[in-house]
Amino acid sequence: MFQASRRDFIKIASLGAGGLLAGSQLWADSDPLYKRYGIKKIPTYCEVCFWKCAGWVHFDKSGKPYKIVGNKADPLCNGRFCPRGTAGLGMYTDPDRLKVPLIRTVRDGKQTYKEATWPQAIDYIASKMRKIIDEHGAESLALFNHGSGGKHFSRLFKALGSGNIAAPSYAQCRGPREVAFHGTFGAGVNSPENTDIKNAKCLVLIGSHLGENMHNAQVQEMSTLIDKKACIIAVDPRLSTVASKSNFWLPIKPATDMALLLAWIHVLIHENIYDKPYVERHTFGFEDLKSHVREMTPEWAASITGLKADQIRETAWEMAKASPAVIVHPGRHVTWYGDDTQRIRAVAILNALLGSWGRKGGFYFPAKAKIPSYPHPGYPKPKWTWKDTLNGRYTMTGSAVTNAIIDASHPDNTTDKKIKGWFVVGTNLIHTIPDQKRTIEALNNQELVVVVDTMPMEITGYADVVLPECTYLERFDDLRNSQFREATIAVRMPVAKPKYLSKPASWMVRKLSKKFGLQNHFDYYDYGEILDWQLGQVGSSLEKVRKKGLINYPRSEKAMYMDEASPMGFHTATGKIELYSFAMEDEGYDPMPVYTPHPEPPDGYYRLNYGRAPMHTFSRTANNAHLNQLMSTNNIWVSPSVAKKWNLKDGTEVWLKNQDGKVSSFPAEIRLTERMGNDSVYMVHGFGHSEKRLTKSYGKGICDTELMTKVMIDPIMGGTGMRGNFVTFQLTPPNTIET
Ligand SMILES: Nc1nc2c(c(=O)[nH]1)N[C@H]1C(S)=C(S)[C@@H](COP(=O)(O)OP(=O)(O)OC[C@H]3O[C@@H](n4cnc5c(=O)[nH]c(N)nc54)[C@H](O)[C@@H]3O)O[C@H]1N2
Ligand SMILES: Nc1nc2c(c(=O)[nH]1)N[C@H]1C(S)=C(S)[C@@H](COP(=O)(O)OP(=O)(O)OC[C@H]3O[C@@H](n4cnc5c(=O)[nH]c(N)nc54)[C@H](O)[C@@H]3O)O[C@H]1N2
Ligand code: SF4
Ligand SMILES: [Mo]
C-alpha cells in the first residue's frame, strides 16, 4: 500500500518540480526569478500569530518584497491583515535575527557560543542524539514546539520513535476548553473557534478580550455585531476595549467567574427560560443539574462576585431572549485558576441550555479540506510517552502536557522514564511556561538542548546548539488547512531567499534524518515538492494555487447547522450533550461544576492580571521594528485609589515583587486608569526581555512570567493556572538583576 503511493509520489513530485517555480530554484542566483518572470505577488499565510491569515506579498520593481496584504478570498481575514500581520516583513528584516548555527563551548573558562557551519551543527546534534538514543532510547528525546516549523520536527520525532511532543498552546492556553467542550458536546471548539459570531444576537465574553486579542475574522465579526447593536455582555474585572463597547460590563471580582456562571444556569433553569425542546431532545442530566444549582441564586453569586444580583438576572434574560443565536464564548487562553476545565464546563452547559451548539448565531459545524497526509513510511511505536509518566495525574488530558514533560526532564524525576534531550522549536519557553525556575532546572538537567528559532530569544541562551530558522517569508511550510464555516487550503511560498545562513525547518529535519537512516521520511529536495504532490491529489497544483493563493470549498449554510428534522448524535458516552458527566465522575472529578473560592491577595498585594495588546504577539514581536514603534514597552495598569495609597503617579517607574519575594528584572511605568479595579494590576504579556541580543526590546518593561512562581495546576488535564500570583510595588531596583 505504502510502496505504491510512494512511487506515485516521487513521480508526481519530480514532474511538478520541473514545471513550477520551486522555492530553492527560484533563488538559485542572486537575481530573484520572481522578477525575471514578472511575478508581482506571491501567496503566503501569516505566522505572526496562529490565526494564519492568508495573504499576498507584493514585490517592488527590483524584485524585493515590500508589503503584505490579506487575501480577499480568505474567510479567516477577508482581505485584511491585523497590525501585526501587516508588520510581518519586520520579522524578515530584523537585524537582530539569528544568522548562523551556534554551538555552546567553553572559552577562557567561560561558556560561550561559537559559530558553526551547518554540517558541523548537524553532526554535533546527531552525535549527542545518538548517545541519548543508545543509552536511554529515542523516547528520552522531547520536542516542544509551536508554529509551522514544529510540524517538520514533529515528523522527525515520530520517525525516531519519540511521542514526547508538546506545545504550549495546550496546557498554557486552550487545553481546559477543549477538554470541557469534549466532555459536554463530544467535540472541541479548536482553532479558529467554531463560534458563529457574525450571526449572533448576543455575545457573552468571559475574559476573552477580543479587540486586544486580535484573532482576525473573530474581531471583524464582533465589530459587525457592535455596529448592528447586538447585545454584548463583557465579564472582565478590567474595562477591556470590548467591555467599553458592550451593553453590559460586569466588573467581576477576579477568580469568581464560576459563581456567576452557576447563577446564570440557575436563572435559566429556575426561571424557566432555557431552550426546553432542545434540552429535552439533546441533553443528559438536566434534573441533576436543576437540583445542583437550586441554591445558586443571583443573590448568592452577588455576594461572591461583587456584581449586582439584578444585573446577573437581567443578563441571563438577555441571553435567553437571543437564544439560540447566542454565544457564551468558550475563551481561548483559559488557564487561569486551576479549576479551568470545570469553569469552561459551566460555559459549555450554559450554551447547551441556550440551545446554541449547532445553531445559527451559536456554534456552527466547521469544515476542513481532506488533504492526503504527507507520505511517509510507518512510525515505530514508542516504548513509553509522557502519558506513562503521569502517575494518575491529568487523566482527561487530550494532548501532551508541556509541564508534564518538564517534570519528566527534572532532576527530581526518580522513575526510569526520563527525558534527556530537548528540541525547542518556535516557542520561547522561558517567557511561556510559569515557574521559570523549574523550567530552567529541567533544561540544565539535559544532555542536549537544541533551540530552533528566528530570533535570539531567552530560550536560545539555554541551548547547546542554536539553529537559525529562516522566517515564514523565506520558506515553504505545510498547507494551511484550517477549519472554518467553509474549508480552504492556503499555501505559503518563499518570497525571498533565506537571509544569512538561516534555513527552513523542513531542510534541517531532512539533514538530520540522514544521520539516522530515516531519509525516506523526508524524500524531497525542497518542501514545495510535497505541497505540489498534495495539491495534485486534490486536483490542483502549486502553480495553480500560486496564482490564487487559496482553494475555497464553498458550502451550503444547511451543512453548518443542526438538521432539526433528523436525530443528532453527540460523541459522548450517552450520545447526548452531557450536563452531568459520568466520565468525569468515574475519574473522581465533579460531574457538574462546583464553585470553590481561590486565595486572595495578602495585604498590600494585588492580583497580577495580564493580557494582549493589538499590536503584539506574546514575546515574539517586541523586537519587530514596526511594532516596537507602535508600542515599545508595557505599563502597569493601576486604579487611582491604589496609586494614591502608594503615592504613584502616571509614569512612575516601579519594579514588581511577588508573594514569593521574586522581583521583576526591570521596571515599568505606572499607567493610572479608571479601567482597573482596586484588587489587581494589569500588564501586557510579552515584554521585559532579558536577552541583550534583542537590541530593541532588551530591558523594556516587565515580564509577567518571571512573577508567576505560583502555578495552579488543573488536576483534570494539567493546565497551568497563572492568575494566582500577587504583586506589590517596589520603587528601588532589585539588588541583583537576573538575566
Ligand atoms: N494581539 C494579540 N492577539 C492575540 C494573541 C496575541 O499574542 N496578541 N494571542 C492569541 C492567543 S494564542 C490567545 S490564547 C488569545 C488570548 O486572549 P483571550 O483568550 O482573550 O485571553 P483571556 O485571558 O481570556 O483575556 C484576558 C482578559 O481577561 C481578563 N481577566 C483577568 N482575570 C479575569 C477573571 O478572573 N475573570 C474574568 N472574567 N476576566 C479576567 C483580563 O482583564 C483581560 O481583559 O489571544 C490571541 N490573540
Ligand atoms: N506569562 C504568560 N505566559 C503565557 C501567556 C501569557 O499571556 N502570559 N500566554 C500563553 C499562551 S495563550 C500561549 S498560546 C503561549 C504561546 O507561547 P509561545 O508560542 O512560546 O510564544 P512566544 O513567546 O511568542 O514564542 C514564540 C517563539 O517562536 C519564535 N518564532 C517566531 N517565528 C518563528 C519561526 O518562523 N520559526 C521558528 N523556529 N521560531 C519562530 C519566536 O522568536 C519566539 O521565540 O504562551 C502561554 N504563556
Ligand atoms: S490575526 Fe494578524 S498576526 Fe494573526 S495571522 Fe492574521 S494577520 Fe497575522
Ligand atoms: Mo494561546
Side-chain angles (χ1 to χ4, degrees):
M1 180 68 194
F2 166 71
Q3 282 302 326
S5 60
R6 185 77 198 147
R7 274 196 297 274
D8 266 3
F9 160 62
I10 291 165
K11 198 175 76 202
I12 292 163
S14 54
L15 275 179
L20 63 86
L21 301 171
S24 42
Q25 290 168 5
L26 269 172
W27 305 106
D29 54 30
S30 57
D31 172 25
L33 295 193
Y34 288 148
K35 184 186 160 203
R36 193 183 300 170
Y37 283 92
I39 294 169
K40 297 205 169 67
K41 58 180 190 180
I42 288 286
T44 188
Y45 59 86
C46 182
E47 182 89 6
V48 188
C49 88
F50 300 111
W51 198 256
K52 302 198 188 98
C53 300
W56 292 107
V57 179
H58 289 258
F59 299 100
D60 65 13
K61 287 199 182 108
S62 70
K64 282 207 187 101
Y66 85 102
K67 72 168 180 185
I68 310 184
V69 295
N71 186 325
K72 290 199 177 83
D74 183 20
L76 268 58
C77 76
N78 302 306
R80 277 181 284 158
F81 266 20
C82 83
R84 299 166 298 154
T86 308
L89 278 173
M91 314 300 259
Y92 163 64
T93 54
D94 197 324
D96 293 342
R97 273 176 61 170
L98 293 170
K99 299 180 177 70
V100 290
L102 301 170
I103 300 180
R104 183 183 292 273
T105 185
V106 178
R107 201 175 292 145
D108 302 330
K110 269 179 127 181
Q111 293 207 8
T112 179
Y113 286 113
K114 65 168 188 235
E115 294 189 352
T117 62
W118 275 101
Q120 283 166 343
I122 297 285
D123 278 349
Y124 183 90
I125 294 169
S127 71
K128 295 271 179 179
M129 283 170 77
R130 172 58 61 208
K131 183 164 175 283
I132 293 173
I133 292 170
D134 288 348
E135 286 173 15
H136 308 279
E139 293 82 357
S140 287
L141 292 167
L143 169 65
F144 296 86
N145 73 113
H146 203 187
S148 310
K151 293 222 175 85
H152 302 287
F153 276 89
S154 192
R155 286 187 275 263
L156 176 66
F157 267 63
K158 287 181 193 156
L160 285 165
S162 170
N164 290 317
I165 303 170
S169 46
Y170 190 75
Q172 281 67 49
C173 178
R174 58 195 170 86
R177 176 186 88 177
E178 300 308 320
V179 174
F181 269 66
H182 263 285
T184 312
F185 295 105
V189 285
N190 300 311
S191 177
E193 290 79 10
N194 57 326
T195 43
D196 197 11
I197 295 180
K198 74 173 179 200
N199 294 311
K201 294 191 185 125
C202 175
L203 175 65
V204 186
L205 300 169
I206 319 239
S208 298
H209 54 336
L210 299 187
E212 288 156 289
N213 156 357
M214 273 307 278
H215 277 169
N216 205 334
Q218 197 167 202
V219 177
Q220 291 181 22
E221 292 191 19
M222 190 185 68
S223 313
T224 64
L225 283 200
I226 293 172
D227 293 345
K228 280 197 283 188
K229 308 236 178 309
C231 177
I232 298 190
I233 301 170
V235 183
D236 198 314
R238 180 183 67 104
L239 184 68
S240 61
T241 305
V242 60
S244 71
K245 295 181 195 312
S246 62
N247 310 58
F248 295 90
W249 171 39
L250 273 51
I252 196 165
K253 181 175 166 189
T256 66
D257 296 76
M258 186 70 107
L260 170 67
L261 293 163
L262 291 167
W264 273 341
I265 295 175
H266 169 96
V267 176
L268 291 182
I269 296 180
H270 289 276
E271 301 190 13
N272 223 359
I273 51 172
Y274 64 97
D275 185 338
K276 209 171 216 166
Y278 183 97
V279 167
E280 273 170 10
R281 194 157 168 226
H282 296 300
T283 69
F284 171 82
F286 178 75
E287 289 304 324
D288 288 303
L289 181 66
K290 187 172 176 180
S291 45
H292 178 64
V293 297
R294 194 176 304 279
E295 310 299 327
M296 299 173 184
T297 60
E299 287 69 23
W300 163 78
S303 68
I304 296 170
T305 57
L307 301 171
K308 296 195 176 68
D310 286 352
Q311 210 180 23
I312 298 177
R313 192 166 276 115
E314 189 185 357
T315 43
W317 277 80
E318 284 292 333
M319 292 178 218
K321 250 193 320 197
S323 152
V326 47
I327 300 165
V328 185
H329 198 286
R332 187 170 176 115
H333 173 59
V334 291
T335 47
W336 295 359
Y337 302 108
D339 57 353
D340 305 303
T341 303
Q342 290 290 14
R343 188 183 69 253
I344 309 300
R345 266 273 291 158
V347 168
I349 289 170
L350 259 177
N351 281 300
L353 295 172
L354 292 161
S356 66
W357 185 263
R359 311 287 277 284
K360 189 165 178 177
F363 294 78
Y364 61 81
F365 299 132
K368 231 177 159 175
K370 284 199 179 64
I371 308 177
S373 63
Y374 167 91
H376 62 82
Y379 293 134
K381 191 173 177 324
K383 290 192 194 69
W384 62 271
T385 68
W386 57 274
K387 279 189 198 154
D388 303 298
T389 70
L390 294 180
N391 207 3
R393 300 175 298 164
Y394 323 151
T395 48
M396 297 189 82
T397 181
S399 268
V401 177
T402 42
N403 30 304
I405 293 191
I406 291 176
D407 289 343
S409 310
H410 196 273
D412 68 12
N413 171 13
T414 52
T415 73
D416 59 347
K417 296 179 180 59
K418 292 189 201 303
I419 303 283
K420 292 287 178 187
W422 284 16
F423 275 64
V424 184
V425 184
T427 169
N428 189 11
L429 296 180
I430 303 299
H431 275 235
T432 300
I433 313 261
D435 192 355
Q436 288 183 333
K437 187 165 161 273
R438 190 163 178 83
T439 307
I440 292 167
E441 284 163 356
L443 268 163
N444 289 339
N445 194 40
Q446 298 306 299
E447 292 172 16
L448 171 68
V449 176
V450 178
V451 174
V452 182
D453 208 299
T454 52
M455 294 293 296
M457 293 288 185
E458 285 69 19
I459 185 69
T460 60
Y462 295 89
D464 298 308
V465 187
V466 181
L467 300 180
E469 186 170 25
C470 56
T471 66
Y472 69 104
L473 295 166
E474 302 157 289
R475 63 187 200 228
F476 284 110
D477 270 314
D478 285 300
L479 297 170
R480 187 201 80 183
N481 185 15
S482 300
Q483 67 161 32
F484 211 65
R485 289 189 184 85
E486 56 180 48
T488 48
I489 298 177
V491 67
R492 171 181 288 163
M493 296 183 68
V495 303
K497 185 179 176 183
K499 276 196 180 211
Y500 317 112
L501 281 187
S502 67
K503 294 279 184 194
S506 57
W507 181 92
M508 297 177 204
V509 292
R510 192 165 64 84
K511 288 288 176 202
L512 273 168
S513 70
K514 286 190 182 160
K515 303 284 175 188
F516 298 91
L518 296 169
Q519 57 272 29
N520 281 350
H521 286 260
F522 303 94
D523 195 5
Y524 50 83
Y525 177 70
D526 193 299
Y527 201 65
E529 295 160 35
I530 300 284
L531 306 191
D532 197 44
W533 175 79
Q534 285 181 307
L535 289 167
Q537 302 297 297
V538 297
S540 185
S541 69
L542 198 49
E543 184 58 17
K544 281 187 198 154
V545 182
R546 178 179 69 72
K547 292 186 181 137
K548 204 172 161 240
L550 279 176
I551 307 177
N552 296 84
Y553 296 90
R555 185 168 177 238
S556 76
E557 191 175 292
K558 205 165 154 252
M560 291 177 211
Y561 307 113
M562 216 178 239
D563 179 355
E564 309 282 344
S566 46
M568 169 82 197
F570 293 86
H571 296 291
T572 55
T574 58
K576 302 259 187 187
I577 301 171
E578 299 197 341
L579 308 177
Y580 186 102
S581 168
F582 283 125
M584 292 194 131
E585 190 171 42
D586 287 349
E587 295 293 341
Y589 310 124
D590 294 322
M592 291 174 293
V594 171
Y595 169 73
T596 36
H598 294 303
E600 296 284 322
D603 237 16
Y605 281 76
Y606 304 88
R607 194 179 291 276
L608 175 62
N609 183 1
Y610 57 87
R612 309 280 178 250
M615 61 296 265
H616 281 289
T617 304
F618 314 119
S619 71
R620 67 170 55 194
T621 53
N623 210 66
N624 177 306
H626 313 294
L627 300 173
N628 185 277
Q629 233 172 36
L630 295 178
M631 179 180 175
S632 63
T633 182
N634 56 5
N635 302 123
I636 310 304
W637 295 35
V638 300
S639 75
S641 129
V642 171
K644 196 164 164 220
K645 191 168 162 194
W646 289 84
N647 195 23
L648 303 171
K649 308 261 173 309
D650 205 48
T652 307
E653 206 168 63
V654 294
W655 284 258
L656 294 180
K657 181 168 95 177
N658 82 353
Q659 73 282 340
D660 296 323
K662 174 80 189 174
V663 184
S664 61
S665 301
F666 306 107
E669 287 183 6
I670 291 290
R671 171 170 172 184
L672 217 161
T673 168
E674 303 274 358
R675 294 167 65 182
M676 285 301 293
N678 294 334
D679 50 8
S680 325
V681 300
Y682 178 82
M683 69 169 83
V684 171
H685 165 65
F687 289 91
H689 278 292
S690 54
E691 176 55 69
K692 289 198 172 127
R693 291 174 290 168
L694 298 166
T695 56
K696 287 183 285 299
S697 52
Y698 168 76
K700 303 267 176 68
I702 292 181
C703 167
D704 55 345
T705 320
E706 66 178 351
L707 299 167
M708 293 172 176
T709 50
K710 174 152 196 234
V711 188
M712 300 166 96
I713 296 269
D714 189 327
I716 300 177
M717 50 60 68
T720 53
M722 306 182 191
R723 294 217 172 123
N725 289 273
F726 309 118
V727 292
T728 191
F729 308 101
Q730 184 169 306
L731 294 159
T732 49
N735 296 336
T736 48
I737 303 259
E738 297 191 13
T739 53

